[in-house]
């Protein structure tokens, strides 16, 4: 049986939580491989709604779950999110959850720096979640990060703290902030360590054993391909690689083990924060999509920008992330709309593009070229088979497949787990 990697194929917020939860019922292990607690996944199970941002979605199913080394890890948020899920009746123990010993920590100084930079950026604001994600990744590649395994050796961190403080104290001075209080930082780490260390484990080894035993592994991505630091709308991106290729490096299992790549795609397009959005509808259409789709960020509560489906961007995501099949979500939000549009290209001045140009200047100037479709008056909400879909909705889906060059594997027609049309089983060889 194949393993499955789930990634967002737009700007995030595509409905990955439900799909991962749905797949987790058939997986033996779920592993998060990048991002941090800036990701938001909503799971609807009966009358309960679970909101996750750091913990893998498999936990709600009781599936063994792991946070990989590619994740930047906020230990305080970890403690609090576990407490919230336990209050909702979810059992979480070191037997059901592991955290990679080599995952770098997000520290209070990272959150501080994130906010200081964003506030000072003026027109250059990126629109970060101010949760310290970017600065933590910078320290990781700068070789000055404190990692999960270091929580067991806090009395021996002088050399690492010297490196960390030499960098951050200079930055803080530039913002008129005092230097790092090393003693307070160490005291905070000593206080939080007991909440983390019981879960610390060699996740790479757990995955190795799972692979050898023929277990089904589900790799859970965060954000979306268009926020990838290499392949997204730079600089309006996140600080990690969100493409499926990072499932290997971010978990410790080789690239040949990733298997089926399922790209999650909303039936329209949304984006949170700043950056280009050629098919955005800053009008009554955008308002209608946002209201019907309840388009507010799980982590920040920010209102999402809404627009028509952009086939150019999704085709690009499919290519750079090696997507095998897509899961099309929120089809029901389009019910009753008289006319629908799909973006099939861009115009920048007198030049036409069938991909997103790389420069921020051209991206900002890109005008969407559309293909128009008749909508459907019937409801698709709760449909669980092709036979329950209106003919025009099926036509819309088929045209999306043609334009992005990738087949639909799943269609989601509501937030409920079972309201899903299975076209191709991602776990089947």
């Amino acid at each position: 049986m194949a393993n499955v990697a789930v990634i967002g194929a737009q700007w995030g917020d595509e409905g990955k939580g439900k799909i991962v939860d749905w797949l987790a019922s058939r997986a033996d292990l779920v592993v998060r491989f990048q991002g941090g607690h800036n990701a938001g996944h909503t799971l609807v199970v009966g009358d309960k709604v679970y909101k996750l941002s750091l913990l893998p979605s498999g936990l709600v199913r009781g599936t063994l779950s792991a946070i990989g080394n590619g994740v930047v890890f906020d230990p305080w948020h970890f403690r609090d999110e576990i407490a919230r899920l336990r209050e909702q009746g979810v059992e979480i123990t070191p037997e059901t959850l592991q955290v990679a010993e080599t995952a770098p920590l997000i520290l209070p100084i990272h959150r501080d720096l994130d906010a200081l930079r964003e506030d000072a950026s003026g027109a250059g604001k990126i629109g970060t979640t101010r949760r310290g994600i970017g600065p933590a990744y910078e320290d990781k590649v700068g070789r000055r990060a404190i990692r999960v395994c270091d929580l067991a050796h806090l009395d021996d961190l002088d050399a690492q703290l010297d490196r960390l403080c030499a960098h951050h104290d200079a930055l803080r001075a530039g913002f008129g902030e005092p230097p790092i209080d090393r003693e307070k930082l160490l005291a905070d780490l000593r206080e939080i360590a007991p909440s983390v260390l019981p879960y610390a484990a060699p996740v790479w080894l757990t995955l190795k054993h799972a692979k050898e035993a023929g277990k089904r592994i589900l790799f859970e991505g965060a954000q979306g391909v268009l926020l990838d630091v290499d392949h997204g709308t730079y600089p309006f991106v996140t600080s990690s690689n969100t493409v499926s290729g990072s499932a290997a490096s971010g978990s410790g299992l080789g690239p040949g083990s990733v298997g089926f790549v399922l790209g999650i795609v909303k039936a329209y397009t949304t984006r949170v924060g700043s950056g280009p959005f050629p098919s955005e509808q800053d009008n009554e259409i955008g308002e209608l999509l946002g209201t019907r789709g309840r388009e507010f960020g799980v982590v920040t509560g920010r209102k999402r920008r809404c627009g028509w489906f952009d086939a150019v961007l999704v085709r690009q995501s499919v290519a750079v992330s090696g997507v095998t099949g897509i899961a099309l979500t929120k089809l029901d939000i389009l019910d009753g709309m008289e006319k629908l549009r799909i973006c099939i290209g861009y115009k920048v001045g007198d030049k036409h593009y069938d991909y997103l140009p790389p420069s921020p200047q051209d991206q900002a100037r890109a005008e969407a070229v559309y293909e128009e479709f008749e909508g459907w008056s019937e409801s698709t909400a709760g449909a669980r088979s092709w036979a329950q879909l209106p003919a025009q909705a099926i036509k819309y889906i088929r045209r999306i497949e043609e334009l992005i060059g990738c087949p639909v594997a799943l269609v989601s027609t509501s937030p409920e787990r079972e309201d899903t049309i299975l076209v191709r089983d991602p776990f089947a060889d």
Side-chain angles (χ1 to χ4, degrees), residues 188-386:
D188 288 343
L189 292 171
R190 285 192 180 93
E191 180 269 335
I192 197 64
S195 298
V196 175
L197 287 174
Y199 299 92
V203 165
W204 68 270
L205 191 56
T206 298
L207 291 170
K208 176 178 181 291
H209 291 157
K211 179 185 175 183
E212 290 170 348
K215 303 287 189 180
R216 290 174 169 176
I217 301 169
L218 182 61
F219 299 90
E220 180 181 3
Q223 290 92 33
V225 173
L226 298 172
L227 293 175
D228 185 279
V229 70
D230 286 314
H231 299 287
T233 49
Y234 191 91
F236 301 99
V237 293
T238 195
S239 297
S240 62
N241 285 112
T242 60
V243 294
S244 62
S246 59
S249 60
S251 66
L253 203 58
S257 302
V258 172
F260 190 105
V261 178
L262 184 65
I264 315 301
V265 177
K266 202 175 282 185
Y268 49 101
T269 310
T270 63
R271 174 164 204 170
V272 171
S274 306
F277 187 170
S279 67
E280 181 175 12
Q281 298 298 297
D282 190 12
N283 52 30
E284 67 277 2
I285 295 293
E287 284 293 323
L288 179 64
L289 292 170
T291 302
R292 283 188 179 180
R294 299 178 183 176
E295 297 295 351
F296 295 91
V298 175
V299 171
T300 63
R302 289 183 293 181
K303 185 178 179 181
R304 296 174 187 143
R305 301 154 62 191
C306 298
W308 297 117
F309 186 87
D310 191 328
V312 184
L313 290 179
V314 176
R315 182 168 63 237
Q316 198 162 327
S317 293
V318 165
V320 301
S321 213
V323 174
T324 315
I326 68 166
L328 190 70
T329 68
K330 291 200 166 185
L331 181 68
D332 55 302
I333 304 304
L334 302 180
D335 290 353
M337 297 184 72
E338 188 176 336
K339 298 287 184 181
L340 301 174
R341 286 181 160 190
I342 296 178
C343 174
I344 59 171
Y346 308 122
K347 185 178 179 182
V348 180
D350 59 357
K351 188 171 183 180
H352 287 265
Y353 285 88
D354 62 357
Y355 64 93
L356 189 68
S359 77
Q361 295 79 10
D362 286 342
Q363 290 176 2
R365 294 170 55 219
E367 297 178 28
V369 178
Y370 291 108
E371 192 173 288
E372 193 166 279
F373 286 80
E374 294 294 326
W376 54 89
S377 57
E378 306 95 321
S379 173
T380 65
R384 298 182 182 182
S385 71
W386 284 114

Side-chain angles (χ1 to χ4, degrees), residues 355-426:
Y355 64 93
L356 189 68
S359 77
Q361 295 79 10
D362 286 342
Q363 290 176 2
R365 294 170 55 219
E367 297 178 28
V369 178
Y370 291 108
E371 192 173 288
E372 193 166 279
F373 286 80
E374 294 294 326
W376 54 89
S377 57
E378 306 95 321
S379 173
T380 65
R384 298 182 182 182
S385 71
W386 284 114
Q388 293 176 294
L389 292 180
Q392 200 61 31
I394 295 174
K395 184 178 178 181
Y396 180 76
I397 295 169
R398 294 306 185 203
R399 184 56 177 151
I400 285 175
E401 289 180 313
E402 291 172 358
L403 289 168
I404 67 174
C406 186
V408 168
L410 301 164
V411 180
S412 171
T413 57
S414 94
E416 294 291 338
R417 269 181 186 162
E418 304 307 322
D419 290 343
T420 305
I421 300 170
L422 177 63
V423 182
R424 179 181 176 187
D425 183 355

Side-chain angles (χ1 to χ4, degrees), residues 41-43 49-53 81 84-85 88 298:
H41 292 170
T42 301
L43 282 64
V49 178
Y50 301 94
K51 293 185 181 293
L52 309 179
S53 54
E81 193 169 318
R84 284 196 300 273
L85 280 185
Q88 291 186 275
V298 175

